Amino acid sequence: MLTIKNLHVSIDDNGNGKEILRGINLNVKAGEVHAIMGPNASGKSTLAQVLAGREGYQVTAGSVRYLGQDLLAMTPEQRACEGIFLAFQYPVEIPGVSNALFLKTALNAMRKQHGLPELDAMDFLSLVRERMKRVGMDEALLSRAVNEGFSGGEKKRNEILQLTVLEPRLAILDETDSGLDIDALKLVADGVNDMRSPERSIVLVTHYQRLLDYIVPDVVHVLSQGCIVKSGDANLARELERHGYSRVETENTAKQVA
Amino acid sequence: MEVQLQSWQNMKLAQVPHMLAGHAMPWVLAARRSAFERFAAHCFPTRREEEWKYTDVSIIGRRSSLAPDHIPPDPSSEAKLLAWTLASESLYLMVFVNGHYAPGLSMTDDLPAGVRMASLANILENGADLPESYFDPQHEHTIFAALNNAFATDGMVLDLSPGTVLKAPIYLLYIASGHGVAIYPRNIVVAGEDAQATVIEHYMGTLDAHNFTNAVTQISLSAHAEIEHCKLLQEGPAATHVAGIHAEQASDSHFISHSFALGGRLARNDITAQLLGKSCHCTMNGLYLLNERQHLDHHTRIDHLAPECISREYYRGILDGESHGVFNGKVVVHPGANKTDAHQANHNLLLSRQAEVDTKPQLEIFADDVKCTHGATVGQLDDDSLFYLRSRGIDAELARSVLIYGFTNDIIGRVNMPELRTRIEHLVLERLPQGDQIKELL
C-alpha cells in the first residue's frame, strides 16, 4: 500500500536547509498496523506531515509510492480523496465552522470525487450520530465550532470521529494517545481497532508503549535522528518500554561503527 | 471644488427645496434652505479633515448632478422580484424607488394598534405634525447630513407608542434604478417606553446604476425600549453611498445596530449612539466584504453620557482585490458616566496583497471606575487551518471559502432573527467561490 524509499526531508532553518528525515525506508502492506516510535525530535511528526502533504518541507531525495501512485506529486486534498487520513497531533480550531458542516463538507467532497451521490442531511446525521456513539462523543459537539473550546481528550476523539466517518485506506495517527486519560485511551483504541480490516492500513506514531497495549501492531519501527534504526514485532515496543530509546540508539551507533 | 460648486448653482440646486415634499410648510422650507446653505458653505469634505483622512469623496463632487429626481422610474425586474418575495413573507415592507415610496410594491397592512408607519413625503405633504427638531443642525453629524436635510425626498417615519411590541420586522427596501440618480432617504424611528421593533434597511442597485445615495436614519429610544436595526448595503458596483444612522437612548433602552456592507464602489457609514440615560445597552456589529476597487468606511461613535451603560462593538472585514476598508470606532466616556463597561473589537482578513485596511479603535475616557477594552487585528487566512481542511479532502478554494464563512459567522450569528440571519448568510455566501456549495451543506 505504502512504500517509502530513501526519503530525505529538510526544513528551512533561517535560510539553511536542516535535514529532519535522513533516508527513511518503510513498506506498509494492506491490512497491517505499523507503529513508529522514537524519542522527541526524531522526525516522527515530520514523516506524518509529509505523508499528508503539509507544505513547508523540502523532499531532497527519495520517493513515496501509495497504491502505485507518486504520493509526493499529489495535493493534500487529492491524497485525502485517495484514502489517506492524518489524525493530527494538535487538531486545529476553526472558529465559526461547526463540526457538522466540517464533516459534511469533507465527506461529500470525497464522495463527489468518487462519483458517489452526496449524502442528504438526514442520512448524514444518522451516520454521524452512530459514529459519535461509537467513539463516546457527546452529540452536542456536532453543533460547536470545530475543536474550539474542546478539551484535549475531546479534540483527539474528534480526530477519531473523522477517521470513522471518512473511512480511509491508510490512517496515520500522530500521537493520538498523548494527553488522554486511560478511559479516553481505551475508547480511542476501540475506535481504531474497529477500523482494522484487510483493506486498511494503520500507521501509529507514538512516544509510548501504552497505546500499543490496546492496539497491537504487526510491525514496530524505532525512529531516531531521522532514520529507522530498528524494526521488529510487537515485542520490540515492550523492550523499548523496559530499556528506553537510548539502548537502541547505542546499539545502532555501535553497529554503524562496526 | 469651488468650480464644481459653481456648476451646481448653475443648475439652481438652491432651488431644489422649493420642489420637494413639505415646501408649502414655511418651517420645512426654511430648514431645508438653511441646511443647503450650510452644505454650500462647507462643501464636500477633503482628506485634510481628520474624519475623512482615509476616504476621498471627490468622485461624488465630480457628479453631473446632485439634485434628486422627481419621478421614479420603473424598477428592474430583479428588484421587483425581491420586493414580491419579501411581500410574501411575514414582515412589513416599504419599497422606495430612487428615494420615492412605491406603495404598489409595499406591504403595510395589518399593523398592530400603537404603530404608525408612514412615508415621510406623505406626512410632509399633508402638513401633518413632525417634530422640527429632526431637521435641526445639531443632528448633522457630517456635512452630508446637511445635504440630506436640504434634499431628503422620502423615507419611513415609524412611531411606536409605549409598550408596543412589533413581532414582525419592518423591511425597508431602497432600489436604485437608472443612470446617475441622486437619492436622499430619511428615516425616523421613535420608540416609546418599552416598545420593541426590528428595522431592516436594504439598499440595492443594478450593475449600471451610477447612483449617489445619501441617507440618514434617526432612531430615538425611550426608557426600556429595544430597537434592532440592520443595514444591508448591496448597492451596484458603480454606486456611491454615504449614510448616517444615529440613535439616542434613554435609560435602560437597548439599541442593536448591524451593518453588513457588500456592495457599492465607495461607501461611508457613520453610525452613532448617544447613551443619555442610565443602564443603557448599545451593540454595534458590522461586517464588510470587499473586492476589486471597492472602498468602504465605517465611522462609529458611542457617547457614554450616563452611568452604568454597556456598549459592545464587533466589526469584521474581509478584503480582496485592491479594495480598501476603513474602521474608525470611537468610544467616549464623558464625565459622570461612571461604571461604564465598553468593549470594541475590529478584526480584518486580507486576501490579497493589494487590499488595504485602516483600523483605528479609539477610547476617550473622562470618568472613573470604568471598564473599557479594545482591540484590532489585521491578518491572513491561517495556513494550519487551510491544511487541516485540505487534509480532509476539501479542495483549496472551497477550504478558503469555508474559513472565510467561519470568520463572518461571528458577526452574522449576532443577528437575532433567524430568517434575517439566513438571508444575510446567503448574501455573504453568494460572494464566496463555491459559496453555493456551502449553502447546500448548511
Side-chain angles (χ1 to χ4, degrees):
Chain A
M1 171 147 334
L2 181 75
T3 309
I4 304 176
K5 276 189 186 148
N6 189 33
L7 183 67
H8 286 255
V9 173
S10 298
I11 53 160
D12 184 62
D13 184 25
N14 287 325
N16 301 311
K18 185 183 171 193
E19 195 163 54
I20 306 287
L21 299 182
R22 302 186 299 159
I24 298 273
N25 290 296
L26 184 68
N27 192 11
V28 181
K29 294 198 185 77
E32 287 182 347
V33 174
H34 287 234
I36 295 178
M37 303 184 72
N40 287 327
S42 56
K44 301 188 302 289
S45 283
T46 298
L47 178 61
Q49 298 268 318
V50 167
L51 292 177
R54 181 76 161 104
E55 283 164 20
Y57 296 97
Q58 285 96 46
V59 176
T60 51
S63 68
V64 181
R65 310 282 306 171
Y66 166 72
L67 294 175
Q69 302 173 75
D70 177 6
L71 185 73
L72 300 176
M74 294 156 78
T75 63
E77 55 268 35
Q78 282 168 339
R79 298 177 198 207
C81 289
E82 292 297 325
I84 288 189
F85 178 91
L86 171 66
F88 281 53
Q89 183 182 3
Y90 303 108
V92 182
E93 297 184 7
I94 305 184
V97 177
S98 75
N99 228 1
L101 174 65
F102 171 55
L103 270 172
K104 213 196 279 180
T105 309
L107 183 62
N108 279 330
M110 291 192 189
R111 290 180 66 93
K112 210 165 122 185
Q113 199 58 234
H114 293 125
L116 295 168
E118 296 188 7
L119 279 192
D120 66 23
M122 292 292 283
D123 290 343
F124 170 76
L125 214 58
S126 60
L127 171 78
V128 171
R129 281 195 177 132
E130 188 260 321
R131 301 292 150 91
M132 285 185 105
K133 206 177 280 171
R134 224 198 277 181
V135 296
M137 235 173 109
D138 186 353
E139 248 182 63
L141 295 179
L142 210 52
S143 51
R144 294 249 305 268
V146 179
N147 293 325
E148 200 182 38
F150 285 27
S151 70
E154 283 171 337
K155 282 183 183 174
K156 294 298 174 82
R157 250 181 271 187
N158 203 21
E159 295 293 292
I160 301 304
L161 172 68
Q162 293 163 41
L163 171 73
T164 60
V165 169
L166 300 177
E167 300 181 315
R169 300 281 298 272
L170 172 64
I172 304 157
L173 278 64
D174 190 4
E175 301 207 13
T176 301
D177 51 335
S178 65
L180 291 183
D181 60 35
I182 198 74
D183 294 330
L185 185 72
K186 276 184 190 162
L187 271 166
V188 163
D190 287 347
V192 175
N193 282 327
D194 273 355
M195 299 290 288
R196 287 181 85 152
S197 86
E199 295 83 40
R200 183 173 291 127
S201 307
I202 297 170
V203 175
L204 304 167
V205 172
T206 181
H207 250 338
Y208 304 107
Q209 139 78 15
R210 200 175 62 150
L211 178 68
L212 307 182
D213 286 339
Y214 300 98
I215 310 172
V216 181
D218 300 303
V219 189
V220 174
H221 309 275
V222 180
L223 191 65
S224 172
Q225 293 172 8
C227 301
I228 289 178
V229 293
K230 195 165 186 178
S231 299
D233 60 14
N235 289 321
L236 176 59
R238 290 186 199 111
E239 197 183 306
L240 283 169
E241 186 74 3
R242 274 199 302 276
H243 305 295
Y245 289 114
S246 50
R247 180 148 143 189
V248 182
E249 283 171 347
T250 325
E251 268 174 32
N252 188 53
T253 319
K255 233 188 288 171
Q256 279 173 356
V257 171
Chain B
M1 202 50 94
E2 266 175 35
V3 179
Q4 277 144 22
L5 188 59
Q6 209 73 48
S7 69
W8 311 332
Q9 279 170 346
N10 290 344
M11 281 178 276
K12 297 195 176 62
L13 279 183
Q15 292 305 307
V16 169
H18 292 270
M19 316 202 312
L20 296 173
H23 63 89
M25 282 192 286
W27 76 264
V28 175
L29 187 61
R32 286 187 186 277
R33 290 184 59 171
S34 74
F36 182 75
E37 278 161 25
R38 281 191 297 281
F39 170 73
H42 183 280
C43 210
F44 287 117
T46 68
R47 294 184 60 179
R48 282 193 295 276
E49 289 171 49
E50 185 60 29
E51 294 298 301
W52 296 88
K53 197 170 160 185
Y54 300 111
T55 299
D56 179 0
V57 294
S58 59
I59 59 167
I60 299 171
R62 286 197 296 272
R63 297 176 58 83
S64 54
S65 175
L66 284 172
D69 73 342
H70 218 57
I71 307 146
D74 205 33
S76 67
S77 50
E78 180 200 3
K80 271 189 193 159
L81 193 67
L82 177 61
W84 290 330
T85 313
L86 289 170
S88 69
E89 292 176 19
S90 52
L91 41 79
Y92 303 105
L93 175 69
M94 282 181 91
V95 179
F96 298 85
V97 180
N98 287 359
H100 298 273
Y101 180 48
L105 291 171
S106 303
M107 250 296 297
T108 59
D109 297 344
D110 305 322
L111 277 164
V115 182
R116 183 176 74 146
M117 188 168 102
S119 124
L120 174 70
N122 284 349
I123 289 177
L124 291 174
E125 269 153 20
N126 298 335
D129 59 318
L130 193 74
E132 292 183 26
S133 63
Y134 281 98
F135 290 87
D136 198 282
Q138 67 154 345
H139 291 303
E140 292 168 0
H141 293 262
T142 69
I143 196 63
F144 285 99
L147 190 60
N148 181 283
N149 260 344
F151 289 175
T153 47
D154 210 341
M156 175 199 63
V157 178
L158 176 70
D159 204 331
L160 301 166
S161 50
T164 312
V165 176
L166 206 50
K167 291 238 163 58
I170 290 173
Y171 206 109
L172 308 176
L173 179 63
Y174 299 88
I175 298 164
S177 203
H179 200 79
V181 286
I183 301 168
Y184 297 88
R186 164 66 66 90
N187 305 299
I188 297 167
V189 175
V190 181
E193 284 188 19
D194 294 298
Q196 288 179 24
T198 300
V199 178
I200 300 149
E201 273 183 54
H202 186 169
Y203 293 86
M204 69 176 297
T206 47
L207 287 175
D208 59 330
H210 285 64
N211 59 295
F212 164 53
T213 298
N214 175 353
V216 172
T217 297
Q218 290 160 307
I219 301 167
S220 139
L221 298 94
S222 302
H224 297 279
E226 188 176 327
I227 296 290
E228 183 168 355
H229 179 271
C230 181
K231 172 166 176 173
L232 304 177
L233 183 65
Q234 214 194 350
E235 295 260 28
T240 49
H241 181 107
V242 178
I245 295 163
H246 307 293
E248 289 182 354
Q249 295 187 245
S251 61
D252 299 290
S253 63
H254 194 172
F255 174 59
I256 306 164
S257 155
H258 309 279
S259 176
F260 292 95
L262 303 163
R265 166 70 185 81
L266 168 72
R268 159 82 171 229
N269 281 316
D270 279 83
I271 303 173
T272 68
Q274 292 200 294
L275 315 187
L276 301 164
K278 218 177 137 194
S279 305
C280 294
H281 271 248
C282 172
T283 307
M284 289 187 184
N285 302 323
L287 178 69
Y288 38 99
L289 220 75
L290 311 178
N291 61 22
E292 290 167 4
R293 302 199 58 200
Q294 282 184 288
H295 180 103
L296 184 110
D297 180 347
H298 272 108
H299 264 62
T300 68
R301 182 179 168 124
I302 301 171
D303 283 285
H304 281 263
L305 294 148
E308 294 167 38
C309 294
I310 299 173
S311 69
R312 292 286 178 271
E313 193 166 3
Y314 305 98
Y315 267 75
R316 288 191 173 203
I318 294 152
L319 299 100
D320 205 348
E322 295 167 65
S323 65
H324 187 179
V326 180
F327 173 78
N328 188 303
K330 194 184 252 187
V331 175
V332 185
V333 183
H334 293 262
N338 297 340
K339 292 197 160 51
T340 285
D341 178 355
H343 174 67
Q344 192 185 45
N346 174 231
H347 299 297
N348 298 281
L349 260 186
L350 295 183
L351 301 181
S352 95
R353 284 179 181 278
Q354 285 78 38
E356 192 183 330
V357 68
D358 291 291
T359 172
K360 196 171 162 195
Q362 285 173 281
L363 274 174
E364 290 177 14
I365 302 168
F366 305 101
D368 299 322
D369 191 16
V370 300
K371 203 171 96 188
C372 298
T373 52
H374 64 178
T377 60
V378 179
Q380 279 132 30
L381 284 178
D382 179 48
D383 282 340
D384 290 335
S385 308
L386 261 179
F387 176 60
Y388 192 54
L389 293 176
R390 294 178 69 191
S391 78
R392 298 302 182 247
I394 301 167
D395 72 65
E397 187 186 61
L398 182 58
R400 267 191 286 274
S401 288
V402 167
L403 291 180
I404 295 167
Y405 161 79
F407 183 79
T408 65
N409 223 347
D410 178 75
I411 303 299
I412 299 172
R414 295 177 194 276
V415 173
N416 284 323
M417 298 189 59
E419 302 85 357
L420 182 57
R421 217 158 44 219
T422 306
R423 186 181 299 281
I424 295 164
E425 198 168 74
H426 288 180
L427 286 178
V428 168
L429 286 173
E430 278 161 23
R431 284 280 298 269
L432 302 179
Q434 302 192 46
D436 51 337
Q437 213 167 317
I438 300 173
K439 197 171 17 175
E440 275 171 33
L441 291 166
L442 285 171

